[in-house]
Amino acid sequence: MNKLQKKQAGLARRHRRVRGKVSGTAARPRLCVTRSNSNIYVQFVDDVAGKTLYGEGTLGADFKATGKSGANVEGASALGGIVGKKALEKGITEIVFDRGGNLYHGRVKALADGAREAGLKF
C-alpha cells in the first residue's frame, strides 16, 4: 500500500466512524463537509428520507462573487456565511455537523464558525 492509499484509507475509516455517530433528520439535517486541496463543498442532508436538501461549494456563483479562494481559511469562513444565510432562507435553523473524517481544524473549523455567525445552531 503506497502513501496515497494509506491516506485515503485513513480518511475513509475516520469518516465511517463519524457517520456511525451522526445522522440528520428533516428537523435537524446533517451539514456534510467535503474538502479537497483547492475547494470545499457543503451539503444539507436528511438521512431519514435519503435526500439532499441543499448543496453549495466554492465553485458556485454565490461564492465566486466574493472573489475569495476556496483553498484558505478566509474562503471557508465566507462559504460558511453564505451557506448559513441560504439555510435560514430555506427554513433550516438547527443542524448536525459532519466533518467528513477531516480534523476539526483550519478550513473545516472556519466553515463551521462562519455558519454559526450566520445564525445556524449546532
Side-chain angles (χ1 to χ4, degrees):
M1 187 181 284
N2 66 22
K3 188 175 181 180
L4 181 61
Q5 288 172 329
K6 283 184 183 179
K7 192 174 183 180
Q8 289 173 337
L11 180 66
R13 186 177 61 246
R14 288 189 303 273
H15 192 120
R16 274 195 313 271
R17 188 169 57 233
V18 169
R19 286 288 291 120
K21 300 172 186 175
V22 175
S23 180
T25 63
R28 194 168 176 181
R30 175 171 55 97
L31 177 83
C32 179
V33 177
T34 305
R35 182 181 64 89
S36 71
N37 285 339
S38 55
N39 293 297
I40 298 178
Y41 310 95
V42 178
Q43 290 181 328
F44 291 93
V45 179
D46 177 5
D47 291 313
V48 175
K51 294 194 175 193
T52 299
L53 305 175
Y54 170 68
E56 185 72 40
T58 54
L59 295 175
D62 292 336
F63 181 79
K64 290 217 177 195
T66 65
K68 298 189 179 193
S69 169
N72 57 27
V73 173
E74 292 83 22
S77 181
L79 180 65
I82 292 168
V83 167
K85 289 174 188 168
K86 291 275 185 161
L88 290 175
E89 288 174 9
K90 294 187 178 284
I92 300 170
T93 56
E94 291 189 8
I95 60 163
V96 178
F97 191 73
D98 176 10
R99 60 189 171 89
N102 299 302
L103 291 175
Y104 187 77
H105 175 76
R107 288 188 287 160
V108 175
K109 184 176 187 291
L111 186 133
D113 291 340
R116 277 191 190 103
E117 289 173 7
L120 288 179
K121 295 176 184 164
F122 57 100

